[in-house]
Amino acid sequence: MSKYQHIQEACYKANMQLPELNLVLFTFGNVSVADRNLGVFAIKPSGVPYRDLTPAKMVIVDFDGKIISGDLRPSSDTKTHAVLYAEWEKIGAIVHTHSTYATAWAQAQRDIPIFGTTHADHNTVDIPCAPPMSDDMIKGNYEFETGYQIINCFKERKLSYEEVEMVLVGNHAPFAWGKNGDKAVYNAAVLEEVARMAYLTEQINPKAPRLKDALIDKHWQRKHGKDAYYGQ
């Protein structure tokens, strides 16, 4: 048995959840799952329809983006995944989709406002939208720079990737992550649903107010059993 089989199987399982949850169309998305001890991650091969995927087709890549094992070309977003794994050491899996509502907010270059308690169960802040990258970054190693586009956004806003496990990339689409494949896919699905709810909220009431801090705090505590962020 290959020493990578466990992450190939986990990666395959997570990728297959994307069409089931209506988070992808055709091949517009990918999941990767890492093994920190081995210093590698498994990721979906590029351009392969979901119906044709198998665990053995998941490509093994190191945190520098170098292919370690596999006959197929890894996802075009592989270097973005590699940067995030290298910089954020507690991530175990990453999901990238072009899900409709989250992508629409990204294309609008807008954060997703925290309007309600569904959002507050998962985040205490608006879901950030990283600003579009500079022309120099675009002309360079684009997929590599996308990783730093996300990381720089979190640094500038003083956000923790362990607390905010999702982001929009301006003019592009969403990314989400978690401790394992199931959690990362869950976060991607939550992001899409919160994006849909926020869009509908603004259609019903363009002046809808942001959720009260007290409710944000209450729902985060109830969901996570942690000390309040507010008032600390």
Side-chain angles (χ1 to χ4, degrees), residues 20 56 70 131 152 163 224:
E20 292 174 3
N152 292 339
E163 295 169 3
H224 298 273

Side-chain angles (χ1 to χ4, degrees), residues 96-179:
H96 174 50
T97 74
H98 286 252
S99 59
T100 302
Y101 287 91
T103 300
W105 284 90
Q107 291 178 169
Q109 300 180 32
R110 286 191 59 190
D111 296 353
I112 301 176
I114 183 166
F115 285 132
T117 57
T118 305
H119 187 143
D121 282 340
H122 300 88
N123 281 298
T124 62
V125 297
D126 296 351
I127 296 169
C129 180
M133 66 174 65
S134 67
D135 289 350
D136 287 342
M137 292 172 73
I138 294 170
K139 292 175 183 177
N141 191 330
Y142 177 71
E143 288 77 17
F144 178 83
E145 296 291 0
T146 300
Y148 282 102
Q149 184 182 7
I150 295 168
I151 289 165
N152 292 339
C153 174
F154 272 60
K155 285 181 178 178
E156 290 166 5
R157 300 194 189 198
K158 296 180 171 59
L159 297 174
S160 166
Y161 73 88
E162 294 179 72
E163 295 169 3
V164 181
E165 296 181 311
M166 52 191 71
V167 69
L168 307 176
V169 175
N171 294 140
H172 187 177
F175 283 81
W177 50 86
K179 63 183 180 181

Side-chain angles (χ1 to χ4, degrees), residues 54-104:
T54 65
K57 290 180 179 178
M58 302 298 109
V59 185
I60 304 299
V61 182
D62 68 16
F63 297 156
D64 291 322
K66 179 183 177 183
I67 297 173
I68 301 300
S69 177
D71 298 324
L72 299 173
R73 182 166 58 92
S75 165
S76 59
D77 299 296
T78 294
K79 290 183 179 179
T80 305
H81 290 240
V83 167
L84 296 178
Y85 283 126
E87 294 287 335
W88 289 347
E89 296 180 353
K90 294 185 179 179
I91 291 179
I94 298 169
V95 178
H96 174 50
T97 74
H98 286 252
S99 59
T100 302
Y101 287 91
T103 300

Side-chain angles (χ1 to χ4, degrees), residues 162-163 217-229 232:
E162 294 179 72
E163 295 169 3
D217 189 47
K218 174 63 70 175
H219 275 262
W220 183 265
Q221 288 187 72
R222 188 177 69 177
K223 179 80 172 181
H224 298 273
K226 296 181 178 180
D227 293 334
Y229 285 124
Q232 285 190 354

